[in-house]
Structure formats: structure tokens, C-alpha cells
Amino acid sequence: MPIDPYILLLLGTVGLAALIPARGTGADAASGASTAAIAFLFFLYGARLSTREAMDGLKHWRLHVTVLACTFLIFPLLGLAARGFVPVLLTQPLYQGLLFLTLVPSTIQSSIAFTSMARGNVPAAICAGSFSSLVGIVVTPLLAAAVLGSSAGFSADSVVEIVLQLLVPFAAGQVLRRWIGGFVARHKKALGLVDRGSILLVVYTAFSEGMVQGIWHQVSPLRLGGLLVVEAVLLAVMLALTWYGAKALRFNREDRIAIQFAGSKKSLAAGLPMASVLFGAHASLAVLPLMLFHQMQLMVCAVIAKRRAHDAPETITVSAPPAESRTAVGTGTRSG
């Protein structure tokens, strides 16, 4: 299975943080820059999402409720059940990172890409990923307070900080979309570098702080192997539940594809800044499970998407939205 080149960049960033961690004034500058970069990233998300597209997506409320239930109910329940792997496969800090992984919202870009590749309902994937990200800005820190308690640095100030860093820029992007939406669509590739660069900067900041605090002495290769086994089981269970559960709920094939890819994945872009706020100096260890799961989900879902496309009936197109949603398909795909 192919390895996403971006994952190699992430690993290289971790290596850089291990060799040359940011300290003192440099750490303060890196932290401020990463906060600004993530805020700009969510501003771009807001500028990309068509308001009409979002309103059209609300008509498919059963699908969105299903995806949200998978993301913020079933995933956390499985995370709580994974407590049984401590201390056999996981240390307590790694388990806390795994539990945090189950609380973050779904992805946007990869959900759309895999749904399109598998010839599923692309407009539904666009809206499901976007709604999940918005809901997660508030729900994820609240769930973290409920299930992690004192393990995470949760407080009312944490929620306010996350809202200011993520939701406010997104809303600003929506307000300004009328004037800048065309520019964002025309320069999608260039702005995509901003997306990925923002994540790399957050990773460098978090792992630098972890190196300075010396927390990496807590992780052994054996424990990392145990974490990978647990995450593989978690992903397999969610892929099966989203596919066969959507069938039991009588969704059609295109909708089942969107539900599987939007309901089984977790967002690195949203999870990293939230972890930085909630875990502080221990954020690097907390996001390690999320980084590993992110690569695993990309590799496995790429294979599944290709198989779904191969097995699709010849009469099915990339997506089969009603006439009024066809414009949303084009708009959403450009906003990737």
C-alpha cells in the first residue's frame, strides 16, 4: 500500500523537532506562528464552503446525523472500551492519546477525495465533513472534559480559546466568501500548501515542547507496536460498522460510501490545535496516536475506495445528486 508523501514530511518534522527543538524565545515564536497558521487554515475552510452547498446538504439530515453519531458517539465508546488494553498493550499516556483521537471530528479533504474515487455521494461527503468539523470545535473539548477529566487541561477558557482559534476564523471566511471565494478556488493548489504547512508547524511546535519536557523517554518500540495493533482494530471496527450499519439503515450505495469514509476517519488538522490547547506540554505524546491513525486510515481507505469504484455498477456516476445539488459538487470538489 502506498505511503502518503505528506506523512514522510510529518515524520521529518518530528525528526527535526527531536534534533533541533524550539526553546525559549524560539518556542514562543513557533507557538504564536502555529496558532496564527491554524486560524488562517480554518479561515480558508470557511471561504471555501459554499453557504448554498451547506443549506442543500442539510436536506440529507439522516446521513449527517449518522456520521455525527459515528464520530462523536460510537468512536468515543470504543475509545473507552480500549481501556482494557492498559497496561498490556498501552501505557496510560498512550491510552489518553488514543482516547483523545476518538473525540476529534472527521476529515474534510480525504473524505471527499475517497468518496469521489469510490463513486459515492460527493455533496454528502462535503457537507458531512464540514458539519463534523464545526460541531467538533465545541463538542470535542466538552467530551474531553467528560472522559479525560483532569488528564486534559480542560476549563472554560480552553473552550473559549478553541472557539477563537477555529470557529471565529471559519465564520470570518464565510462572511468574506462573497469577495474572496473566487480567488480561493482559483489558487487551490497554492493555498493547499498553506493547509499542509500549518499542520507541519503545529507538529514541530508540539514535538519540540515534548522534547524539552523529556516525555519521549516514556515510549518504547514495543509500546508503539501495541498502539498500532489497537488502532488497526479500531479502524477495522469503524469501517465495518459504518458500511454495514448504513446498509441496515437502508441508505443507498452512494450514501453508504459517504458515510463510511466520513464516519470512520479523524482529522489531523482539527485535532492538533485542540490537543495543543488541552494537553499543553504533553501534547506531543497525546497526538502521536492521531498521527499514526491518520496514516493508517489514508492507506486503508485508498484501497477500499479503489475496490468500491471497481465494484460499482456501470450505471452509477461519480455521484448522483439531485439537479439542484450538481453545482455544489463542482464547488465542493474545488474546495477539496
Side-chain angles (χ1 to χ4, degrees):
M1 292 182 292
I3 297 178
D4 184 355
Y6 186 56
I7 296 299
L8 298 180
L9 287 175
L10 285 171
L11 294 176
T13 302
V14 172
L16 180 63
L19 294 174
I20 315 174
R23 301 174 182 271
T25 304
D28 294 338
S31 177
S34 64
T35 299
I38 289 297
F40 185 59
L41 174 63
F42 274 77
F43 172 80
L44 291 178
Y45 284 166
R48 289 170 180 165
L49 180 64
S50 166
T51 304
R52 178 184 174 185
E53 172 186 304
M55 293 300 101
D56 287 343
L58 288 174
K59 298 175 184 177
H60 211 344
W61 63 270
R62 285 183 65 244
L63 184 148
H64 301 311
V65 169
T66 302
V67 171
L68 291 174
C70 291
T71 303
F72 298 114
L73 179 60
I74 298 177
F75 248 122
L77 289 176
L78 291 175
L80 291 171
R83 179 67 177 81
F85 292 113
V86 180
V88 178
L89 293 177
L90 302 174
T91 62
Q92 185 62 28
L94 285 178
Y95 169 68
Q96 290 175 355
L98 179 73
L99 187 54
F100 173 74
L101 145 72
T102 65
L103 308 180
V104 303
S106 179
T107 61
I108 299 177
Q109 291 96 329
S110 59
S111 295
I112 298 169
F114 288 133
T115 299
S116 177
M117 184 188 304
R119 301 168 70 179
N121 189 337
V122 176
I126 294 169
C127 294
S130 301
F131 294 157
S132 178
S133 294
L134 290 175
V135 171
I137 291 173
V138 176
V139 170
T140 295
L142 293 177
L143 287 175
V147 302
L148 289 171
S150 59
S151 300
F154 178 85
S155 66
D157 291 340
S158 300
V159 177
V160 172
E161 186 174 348
I162 290 172
V163 168
L164 289 176
Q165 188 175 357
L166 306 182
L167 184 58
V168 172
F170 183 93
Q174 277 281 284
V175 171
L176 296 177
R177 187 182 187 281
R178 177 180 178 182
W179 295 280
I180 67 174
F183 175 85
V184 171
R186 289 191 302 271
H187 297 83
K188 182 182 70 172
K189 290 185 177 181
L191 292 175
L193 297 177
V194 176
D195 287 9
R196 299 194 162 201
S198 300
I199 301 303
L200 293 176
L201 184 56
V202 174
V203 168
Y204 175 75
T205 303
F207 278 82
S208 289
E209 192 166 3
M211 288 300 299
V212 173
Q213 297 292 330
I215 65 172
W216 285 106
H217 298 295
Q218 305 174 27
V219 184
S220 67
L222 184 62
R223 292 300 188 182
L224 286 178
L227 175 62
L228 287 172
V229 170
V230 175
E231 291 193 334
V233 173
L234 176 64
L235 180 59
V237 170
M238 285 306 303
L239 287 169
L241 284 177
T242 50
W243 182 250
Y244 293 106
K247 181 179 181 180
L249 293 173
R250 300 183 182 278
F251 285 99
N252 62 34
R253 181 185 181 279
E254 293 86 351
D255 289 347
R256 289 172 66 193
I257 290 172
I259 290 170
Q260 184 176 51
F261 289 127
S264 65
K265 292 203 292 303
K266 292 295 183 176
S267 172
L268 194 64
L272 284 176
M274 291 181 183
S276 298
V277 173
L278 294 174
F279 292 95
H282 299 283
S284 57
L285 196 57
V287 301
L288 180 62
L290 179 58
M291 289 181 60
L292 295 176
F293 189 83
H294 182 264
Q295 167 62 11
M296 188 181 296
Q297 72 187 11
L298 291 179
M299 295 169 65
V300 174
C301 288
V303 174
I304 292 175
K306 290 178 181 178
R307 174 165 293 189
R308 295 272 184 263
H310 178 74
D311 295 340
E314 293 299 324
T315 55
I316 294 179
T317 57
V318 173
S319 68
E324 66 269 20
S325 298
R326 287 175 187 158
T327 302
V329 178
T331 303
T333 303
R334 289 193 300 271
S335 66

